[in-house]
């Protein structure tokens, strides 16, 4: 006996209240943080159909560098080709689907499949098919190498983040991120990764969206970041809101970090006076958190590992390729402390989503605009993906 599939509206929570004006809106329902089925729906609507962050170009600094990455259970290969271009491919041989690269390494020649030794160039071309036509015959009329190159994933590098669009259906990156690119046009200049001591990973037992929501707003500053709030106070901050694109916060009081001798990092050249004491922090939807200051920047790529577990990959950048070691380490330690202070509230909100009486919560119309904007974007993307199924019911 077969059973009819339940309507979309029965399987997943209604999101109309999420898209309401902020004074009347509820936050996303609990299922969007706890239900594996909803998490799977979000993976498609929010992370594969959009431009999402995968890694940073600094992960593959030299031509031939390659790193296997599992993203949403998809085996991918991040590499820098012989021409220096960063590219992303599916990490599988086109012959029998074998994983090609199992650990980070420098590709000196070709990418060789360990199963039957089919070989690919770093540009993805299939260049060798040993014995494909029988022993000693490396070609066959039925195997057209020109059509059997690696499956390339659409990618773009901005602010050193490697953005990917797995579905291939998103607007061109320059259009999708036009507002953010224009807002930070002053910082459209070379970024230099600080190296091994300027990257760290945090694992958070919470849904990735909660990390975005917390990062967006400054409302929590006095209670969660008292040290930071002692000089960059809540009242020094302002909301940043670009509907359907990004949201976040800025501060009018940024205090440069100084070494024991009073030294600071070099500034990014050509900045206007408005950046002397300002800094901004935006969440570029869906999963990249960015920050800019006069003398350094950072990027955080949120990697959703499960509906209740997220890996945060943090990278710090500077205006010059060489910076003071001690000062760089001090800066990384300071930011790590700030980001670690957020973990208990993000994990606390995740545990709170197990309360059946929680209806998604309410927003402060004055303080929670950036978070509400993110919720509204999530709801809009999911509603758009559900629309065909609703129409068919």
């Amino acid at each position: 006996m077969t059973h009819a599939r339940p309507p979309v509206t029965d399987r997943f929570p209604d999101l109309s209240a999420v898209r309401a004006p902020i004074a009347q809106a509820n936050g996303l329902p609990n299922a969007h943080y706890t239900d594996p089925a909803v998490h799977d729906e979000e993976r498609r609507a929010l992370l594969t159909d959009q431009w999402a962050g995968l890694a940073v170009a600094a992960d593959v600094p030299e031509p031939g560098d390659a790193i296997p990455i599992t993203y949403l259970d998809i085996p991918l290969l991040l590499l820098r080709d012989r021409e220096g271009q960063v590219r992303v491919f599916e990490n599988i041989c086109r012959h029998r689907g074998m994983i090609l690269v199992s650990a980070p390494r420098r590709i000196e020649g070709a990418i060789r499949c360990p199963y039957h030794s089919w070989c690919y160039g770093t540009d993805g071309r299939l260049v060798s098919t040993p014995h494909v036509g029988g022993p000693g015959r490396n070609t066959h009329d039925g195997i057209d190498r020109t059509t059997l190159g690696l499956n390339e994933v659409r990618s773009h590098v901005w602010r050193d983040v490697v953005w990917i669009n797995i579905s291939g259906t998103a607007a061109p990156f320059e259009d999708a991120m036009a507002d953010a690119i224009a807002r930070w046009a002053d910082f459209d200049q070379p970024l230099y990764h600080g190296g091994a001591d300027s990257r760290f990973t945090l694992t958070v037992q919470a849904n990735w969206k909660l990390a975005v929501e917390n990062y967006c707003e400054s409302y929590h500053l006095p209670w969660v970041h008292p040290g930071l709030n002692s000089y960059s106070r809540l009242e020094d901050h302002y909301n940043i809101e670009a509907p359907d694109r990004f949201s976040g916060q800025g501060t009018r009081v940024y205090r440069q970090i100084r070494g024991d001798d009073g030294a600071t990092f070099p500034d990014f050249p050509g900045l206007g006076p408005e950046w002397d004491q300002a800094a901004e922090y935006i969440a570029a939807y869906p999963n990249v958190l960015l920050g800019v200051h006069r003398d350094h920047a950072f990027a955080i790529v949120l990697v959703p590992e499960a509906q209740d577990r997220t890996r945060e990959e943090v990278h710090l950048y500077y205006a010059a390729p060489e910076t003071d070691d001690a000062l760089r380490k001090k800066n990384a330690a300071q930011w790590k402390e700030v980001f670690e202070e957020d973990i208990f509230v993000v994990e606390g909100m995740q545990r709170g989503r197990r309360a059946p009486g929680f209806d998604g919560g309410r927003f402060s119309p004055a303080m929670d605009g950036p978070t509400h904007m993110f919720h509204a974007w999530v709801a809009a993307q999911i509603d758009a993906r559900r629309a065909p199924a609703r129409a068919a019911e």
Side-chain angles (χ1 to χ4, degrees):
M1 179 178 180
T2 59
H3 297 276
R5 194 179 186 192
V8 171
T9 50
D10 291 344
R11 297 201 313 275
F12 299 116
D14 177 71
L15 298 178
S16 57
V18 179
R19 302 179 68 180
I22 188 170
Q24 291 84 43
N26 289 109
L28 290 163
N30 287 347
H32 284 264
Y33 304 87
T34 62
D35 188 332
V38 177
H39 178 67
D40 186 60
E41 180 189 35
E42 287 189 343
R43 284 170 49 180
R44 296 190 298 272
L46 307 181
L47 296 164
T48 66
D49 288 352
Q50 317 297 326
W51 285 102
L54 174 69
V56 295
D59 288 334
V60 286
E62 301 295 333
D65 286 349
I67 295 178
I69 299 175
T70 300
Y71 178 79
L72 306 179
D73 294 330
I74 302 169
L76 300 178
L77 183 64
L78 171 70
L79 63 79
R80 191 177 292 268
D81 70 16
R82 298 286 177 230
E83 305 302 318
Q85 180 180 345
V86 174
R87 310 178 80 142
V88 180
F89 297 102
E90 290 184 348
N91 187 20
I92 57 163
C93 180
R94 293 293 302 279
H95 177 212
R96 303 303 302 146
M98 176 66 182
I99 295 297
L100 293 170
V101 179
S102 57
R105 66 182 177 90
R106 175 74 56 82
I107 297 169
E108 301 293 350
I111 304 168
R112 187 185 70 83
C113 177
Y115 194 10
H116 297 96
S117 211
W118 284 27
C119 294
Y120 303 84
T122 58
D123 60 0
R125 291 180 303 113
L126 177 60
V127 296
S128 176
T129 51
H131 309 301
V132 73
R137 300 184 61 183
N138 299 332
T139 61
H140 190 283
D141 290 344
I143 299 296
D144 182 358
R145 292 181 185 174
T146 64
T147 64
L148 290 171
L150 299 180
N151 294 323
E152 187 161 9
V153 176
R154 194 178 180 203
S155 64
H156 186 92
V157 177
W158 180 62
R159 301 209 60 77
D160 203 52
V161 174
V162 181
W163 308 76
I164 59 172
N165 172 224
I166 291 175
S167 71
T169 59
F173 184 88
E174 294 84 350
D175 296 337
M177 295 290 180
D179 293 342
I181 293 170
R183 185 179 188 94
W184 284 356
D186 287 351
F187 292 92
D188 186 14
Q189 48 186 293
L191 289 171
Y192 298 95
H193 195 285
D197 56 10
S198 294
R199 63 171 72 215
F200 53 90
T201 300
L202 301 175
T203 300
V204 184
Q205 302 303 317
N207 185 275
W208 65 276
K209 296 190 301 302
L210 290 172
V212 175
E213 296 166 27
N214 175 73
Y215 183 82
C216 278
E217 48 95 343
S218 59
Y219 193 8
H220 66 285
L221 257 166
W223 306 281
V224 179
H225 304 297
L228 186 60
N229 188 69
S230 67
Y231 64 88
S232 183
R233 304 164 300 166
L234 179 61
E235 51 266 41
D236 296 321
H237 286 71
Y238 55 90
N239 291 344
I240 299 171
E241 300 176 1
D244 300 322
R245 305 288 191 177
F246 61 87
S247 59
Q249 53 170 305
T251 179
R252 300 178 183 88
V253 180
Y254 166 61
R255 186 172 70 186
Q256 285 184 288
I257 193 169
R258 294 182 178 273
D260 295 338
D261 58 356
T264 60
F265 293 116
D267 287 346
F268 288 100
L271 297 181
E274 66 272 19
W275 291 107
D276 286 352
Q277 292 188 331
E280 289 192 346
Y281 311 96
I282 64 170
Y285 307 156
N287 68 324
V288 178
L289 314 179
L290 299 167
V292 292
H293 318 76
R294 61 185 291 178
D295 59 353
H296 76 285
F298 63 74
I300 306 173
V301 178
L302 302 176
V303 182
E305 295 189 325
Q307 73 271 9
D308 56 359
R309 187 175 69 255
T310 303
R311 192 173 74 250
E312 302 182 358
E313 300 288 352
V314 185
H315 300 268
L316 297 170
Y317 297 86
Y318 298 94
E322 301 295 332
T323 50
D324 181 79
D325 289 352
L327 190 57
R328 197 172 59 246
K329 291 176 182 176
K330 183 178 181 180
N331 193 41
Q334 177 176 282
W335 277 115
K336 187 175 183 182
E337 179 181 5
V338 170
F339 296 143
E340 286 178 337
E341 287 174 344
D342 288 314
I343 291 177
F344 91 95
V345 292
V346 175
E347 293 185 340
M349 287 190 289
Q350 178 69 32
R351 292 194 299 273
R353 294 316 189 264
R354 294 290 180 182
F358 186 68
D359 62 356
R362 297 297 295 273
F363 298 102
S364 161
M367 303 302 295
D368 285 327
T371 302
H372 171 252
M373 187 164 289
F374 175 61
H375 279 231
W377 176 82
V378 169
Q381 305 312 309
I382 292 173
D383 278 345
R385 190 171 183 90
R386 290 176 182 172
R390 285 199 181 100
E393 289 175 356

